[in-house]
Amino acid sequence: RESSSKTSTTTATRTTRKILVNQLPCEAFVMKMMFRKAMFVSPMLLLVLLSLEAVVPTLGLSLSDNKSIGAGRRAFLGSVGTAATALTLNPRLGWADNGLPLPGSPAPEFELPNSRGNGVTTLQALTKSGKWTVLYFYPGAFTSGCTLEARGFQRDLDEYRKLNAQIVGVSVDPVEKNAQFCSEEKLDFYMLSDRGGLISKKYGSALSIPGFGTFSNRQTYIIDPNGNLRWIFTDVESRIARHSSEVLEKLSELERTA
């Protein structure tokens, strides 16, 4: 009878934690995973996470109002050190890897499976077409921020074509998930699957989180027809709604001066 009581209490506790996690307005893909793990690991850790008003801006993560995608983003109320100390986790938790390639240098090579299901796509194949490439990295398909970003690129796709440019997305999501995302959102461009985040690391766009793995940070790269990196957008998370318009403006400027 005592064992049955303990089991019921444990089940009730986990159910309560699950309800709290599901009610969080956090759109950040990685943070949601952290909440779910904390739900079973430590009630105290969950309470600390619940008390955070937002997350570190340099991660490209944020809290948002569910009533409006991307609205109501707020600045983090503490420093990275404070958050790391409060959570008693690795101080490097969530920090984007250093090593951004320099504009003007050759873009890092890659060979990744694409969401079209017709094999792999390489940087050489993209530049061989003589087009400019907008290569954008995103944390995870179907999250609110990534959906809003993709819709922005789709909305402006004709403008990119006028500028002889192509859009290609990159995330650590499996091919099948990226394909489903493109299909459901009716995207006329495709995604590349960077399982393990190796290419994200080469581009300085990786988030390595102990216990969770590596994810792609939200960053965008403009690559010219010669395969050279011409521009990097690192502050994308706080500007998702207007990001595509800003990319178009910069792309037009770069082409005029090329």
Side-chain angles (χ1 to χ4, degrees):
R1 185 177 300 175
E2 183 179 349
S3 176
S4 176
S5 176
K6 287 183 178 179
T7 301
S8 298
T9 300
T10 301
T11 302
T13 301
R14 288 184 175 179
T15 300
T16 300
R17 294 178 197 167
K18 187 173 183 179
I19 291 173
L20 286 172
V21 169
N22 289 337
Q23 289 179 341
L24 288 170
C26 180
E27 71 167 19
F29 174 74
V30 177
M31 284 299 289
K32 282 184 178 179
M33 292 185 64
M34 290 176 64
F35 282 120
R36 293 189 185 281
K37 187 165 185 178
M39 180 173 67
F40 296 101
V41 175
S42 168
M44 183 58 69
L45 175 56
L46 178 59
L47 289 174
V48 173
L49 288 171
L50 286 169
S51 70
L52 294 180
E53 289 293 327
V55 294
V56 185
T58 55
L59 301 185
L61 307 177
S62 67
L63 293 176
S64 64
D65 186 344
N66 287 337
K67 296 180 181 178
S68 176
I69 294 177
R73 288 184 168 81
R74 294 165 292 178
F76 187 34
L77 299 182
S79 66
V80 178
T82 301
T85 300
L87 298 177
T88 65
L89 297 174
N90 190 317
R92 288 180 54 80
L93 176 67
W95 278 92
D97 292 344
N98 291 326
L100 279 172
L102 294 174
S105 64
E109 295 285 346
F110 57 79
E111 182 177 313
L112 296 171
N114 62 61
S115 59
R116 290 179 172 172
N118 59 1
V120 299
T121 296
T122 65
L123 175 63
Q124 184 178 10
L126 291 175
T127 56
K128 187 177 181 180
S129 64
K131 297 180 179 180
W132 289 70
T133 299
V134 175
L135 190 71
Y136 82 96
F137 290 76
Y138 61 97
F142 295 106
T143 57
S144 57
C146 297
T147 299
L148 184 64
E149 185 177 23
R151 289 175 180 175
F153 284 125
Q154 178 64 33
R155 177 197 65 220
D156 298 333
L157 193 56
D158 285 341
E159 297 303 313
Y160 284 104
R161 288 171 174 166
K162 290 178 184 178
L163 291 173
N164 191 36
Q166 56 196 338
I167 305 293
V168 180
V170 182
S171 77
V172 301
D173 291 323
V175 172
E176 297 76 14
K177 186 175 182 180
N178 278 334
Q180 183 183 2
F181 182 52
C182 290
S183 176
E184 291 191 15
E185 288 298 322
K186 296 179 173 56
L187 303 178
D188 294 318
F189 53 90
Y190 58 91
M191 311 298 190
L192 303 180
S193 182
D194 182 24
R195 298 302 297 271
L198 179 60
I199 302 304
S200 297
K201 290 178 181 177
K202 285 186 176 181
Y203 275 79
S205 183
L207 292 173
S208 297
I209 302 181
F212 296 93
T214 299
F215 303 87
S216 301
N217 194 16
R218 199 183 305 282
Q219 295 181 175
T220 299
Y221 302 74
I222 296 180
I223 302 172
D224 68 22
N226 295 317
N228 294 317
L229 185 62
R230 299 298 301 276
W231 197 264
I232 304 174
F233 293 86
T234 56
D235 180 22
V236 178
E237 186 67 32
S238 63
R239 314 164 72 86
I240 295 178
R242 59 183 182 275
H243 179 53
S244 179
S245 298
E246 293 177 340
V247 173
L248 275 172
E249 183 179 351
K250 178 55 65 174
L251 179 62
S252 180
E253 175 187 322
L254 290 171
E255 291 190 12
R256 287 197 304 269
T257 59

